[in-house]
Amino acid sequence: MTIASAALVKRADELDAADPLSEYPAQFLGSDDPEVVAYLDGNSLGRPTRASADRLATFVSDAWGRRLIRGWDEDWFDMPLRLGDRLGAAVLGAAAGQTTIGDSTTVLLYKLVRGALAMRPDRTEIVLDRDNFPTDRYLLESIAEDHGLTLRWIEPDFRGGVTAAEVADAVCERTALVVLSHVAYRSGYLLDVPAIGAATHSSGALLLLDLCHSAGSVEIELDSWSVDFAVGCTYKYLSGGPGSPAFAYVAAAHLDNFVQPIWGWMGRDTPFDMAQGYVPAAGIRRVISGTPAILGMIPIQDTLEMIEDAGMPAIRAKSVSLTEYALDLVQDCLVPFGVAVSSPLESARRGGHVTIDHPQFRDITARLWQRGVIPDFRGPEGIRLGMSPLSTTFSEVLAGVVAIGDELTAS
Ligand SMILES: *Cc1c(COP(=O)(O)O)cnc(C)c1O
């Protein structure tokens, strides 16, 4: 199998033509680059929007170049909170005043975990799972070591993820905090957050969600799900650019009592008084430590405009169609060659990417990258097909799966 059959190409073209979000892929830079046949790693680094190229250039020449230090008073001081509110409304299901942008996911996780633990001072355990993203596991290991806490590990199904029953079994009157990823970075498993929240809260513990793999691809309702804390990055489905700042959510009910451990001047009440002693700023600003990375917040604004325009329900619907289509193709074209599907088959339990396994996938991924087909490899033998609902076309998915089949039969 070296080329897709005419029938398969026709089907992909029909799906693209019928896509209600078909106007968006061309709004991303590089979508017409013939060297990139299929970009299937939007869940690791989203493509840039064309609008961001202009917005970045204008920011440097005008906002930074001409407004100079006045920019802080005029715009930048409130930018992390203003963008946080927009992200909250468009993506997170969060009312204003609970979300801010800044730092990396890792650093925000540290701040929120420490702040949450301080709200449960008599409790000694944190519940987490073996399949969570490495940074989440390492960071919790470090905090547990520093504070003499016990980590209670859930061992989820490799092809699935953490269930509410597993959380209910793991929590008890000693549990301070449960930390889980909304969408598992490897399998793509999508948590049942309301059920997990209920299990967590029934033990008196708090729930912190990592939204890195869900923000911008699945619908999120932090307020109505009663999630206590959340973090996530903006460089994956939100196309903020490499290393763009992350976001943090602290539920309004906790804000008055929430104190994070990295006390800096920008998160202090009235920072420009330069006063003695730290007094946390009112509201979500207290999550900020030092000077926010304004330059890194420019491209997110263009993605937010697209999401506000398209709406998360339509984006999720496209995402489900893309993963269903990918799974159908994998079933027909790759499973006969020994490929196994390692993602949930039920759409309601699956995020925006699909993981497939085969012993040759490490070598094959390197060859795919050379031919402009760009998924990513996750050990021990997985290829992740990350489909970004605003930028990925059905034709790209077909080209990617056909190329994998081609490499498999050639090797
Ligand atoms: C990508 C990702 C991260 C990345 O954290 P950084 O601090 O931005 O490196 C963390 N958690 C999850 C679940 C991720 O998918």
Side-chain angles (χ1 to χ4, degrees):
M1 184 180 76
T2 49
I3 48 163
S5 71
L8 281 176
V9 172
K10 181 159 172 281
R11 176 82 187 123
D13 288 345
E14 283 166 3
L15 287 166
D16 280 324
D19 174 12
L21 303 183
S22 62
E23 72 200 85
Y24 292 103
Q27 295 179 27
F28 288 83
L29 260 179
S31 51
D32 49 1
D33 177 359
E35 198 262 323
V36 176
V37 177
Y39 188 55
L40 299 173
D41 210 1
N43 60 321
S44 282
L45 180 67
R47 281 183 183 276
T49 63
R50 290 183 193 280
S52 289
D54 295 336
R55 193 188 292 269
L56 274 166
T58 308
F59 181 84
V60 174
S61 61
D62 294 2
W64 178 11
R66 303 187 57 212
R67 300 316 299 158
L68 296 163
I69 194 70
R70 295 173 290 184
W72 281 107
D73 289 340
E74 293 167 359
D75 194 24
W76 308 330
F77 187 68
D78 289 328
M79 191 185 278
L81 308 191
R82 212 168 50 238
L83 287 180
D85 284 347
R86 275 179 74 185
L87 184 73
V91 175
L92 305 178
Q98 305 174 99
T99 311
T100 186
I101 314 275
D103 303 316
S104 66
T105 301
T106 305
V107 171
L108 286 179
L109 254 175
Y110 181 78
K111 293 182 179 182
L112 263 50
V113 168
R114 285 282 313 272
L117 291 172
M119 294 172 66
R120 292 288 182 276
D122 301 328
R123 293 181 172 226
T124 55
E125 295 189 3
I126 301 172
V127 169
L128 70 170
D129 76 284
R130 289 283 173 202
D131 281 350
N132 206 343
F133 193 82
T135 218
D136 301 60
R137 288 183 275 117
Y138 305 155
L139 188 110
L140 291 168
E141 285 168 347
S142 131
I143 291 175
E145 193 167 301
D146 283 352
H147 297 269
L149 302 172
T150 301
L151 297 178
R152 182 85 37 216
W153 294 92
I154 295 172
E155 313 266 354
D157 171 14
F158 180 71
R159 301 205 148 89
V162 178
T163 63
E166 287 170 321
V167 173
D169 280 348
V171 294
C172 66
E173 71 289 347
R174 295 184 300 280
T175 315
L177 182 65
V178 175
V179 180
L180 299 169
S181 281
H182 187 201
V183 169
Y185 82 97
R186 194 178 194 286
S187 73
Y189 183 86
L190 173 61
L191 291 189
D192 179 352
V193 180
I196 284 175
T200 302
H201 292 143
S202 72
S203 75
L206 298 162
L207 177 62
L208 191 162
L209 283 188
D210 182 333
L211 305 175
C212 282
H213 262 84
S214 55
S217 70
V218 306
E219 287 170 272
I220 300 170
E221 294 294 344
L222 292 178
D223 286 350
S224 65
W225 292 342
S226 302
V227 172
D228 301 292
F229 306 97
V231 294
C233 59
T234 62
Y235 52 79
K236 293 175 178 167
Y237 293 106
L238 298 173
S239 282
S244 60
F247 60 87
Y249 163 94
V250 177
H254 299 315
L255 270 172
D256 287 348
N257 299 320
F258 179 82
V259 182
Q260 55 90 359
I262 305 179
W263 295 0
W265 73 301
M266 277 280 181
R268 191 196 186 278
D269 198 31
T270 59
F272 293 99
D273 290 356
M274 309 289 190
Q276 295 299 323
Y278 175 79
V279 181
I284 191 71
R285 174 173 289 286
R286 63 181 54 193
V287 173
I288 296 175
S289 297
T291 303
I294 299 300
L295 199 50
M297 298 182 198
I298 306 306
I300 309 167
Q301 300 172 45
D302 299 295
T303 324
L304 277 174
E305 274 183 15
M306 283 186 186
I307 295 175
E308 286 160 354
D309 182 42
M312 277 312 301
I315 291 172
R316 168 65 174 160
K318 165 94 184 273
S319 171
V320 169
S321 302
L322 284 166
T323 55
E324 278 176 348
Y325 178 61
L327 284 169
D328 283 350
L329 287 175
V330 165
Q331 189 58 44
D332 291 349
C333 306
L334 303 183
V335 168
F337 298 102
V339 170
V341 174
S342 299
S343 290
L345 297 178
E346 187 195 345
S347 301
R349 291 272 71 83
R350 189 176 63 238
H353 68 275
V354 165
T355 299
I356 54 180
D357 282 301
H358 188 280
Q360 284 170 26
F361 273 171
R362 183 186 294 274
D363 296 340
I364 285 180
T365 304
R367 297 206 295 276
L368 289 169
W369 280 33
Q370 278 169 13
R371 57 191 277 183
V373 171
I374 313 177
D376 69 11
F377 177 79
R378 285 292 176 269
E381 52 179 42
I383 280 180
R384 286 192 313 179
L385 306 171
M387 291 151 279
S388 197
L390 287 170
S391 67
T392 308
T393 62
F394 292 90
S395 304
E396 250 179 316
V397 176
L398 174 63
V401 172
V402 166
I404 295 169
D406 196 18
E407 291 293 342
L408 263 178
T409 49
S411 56

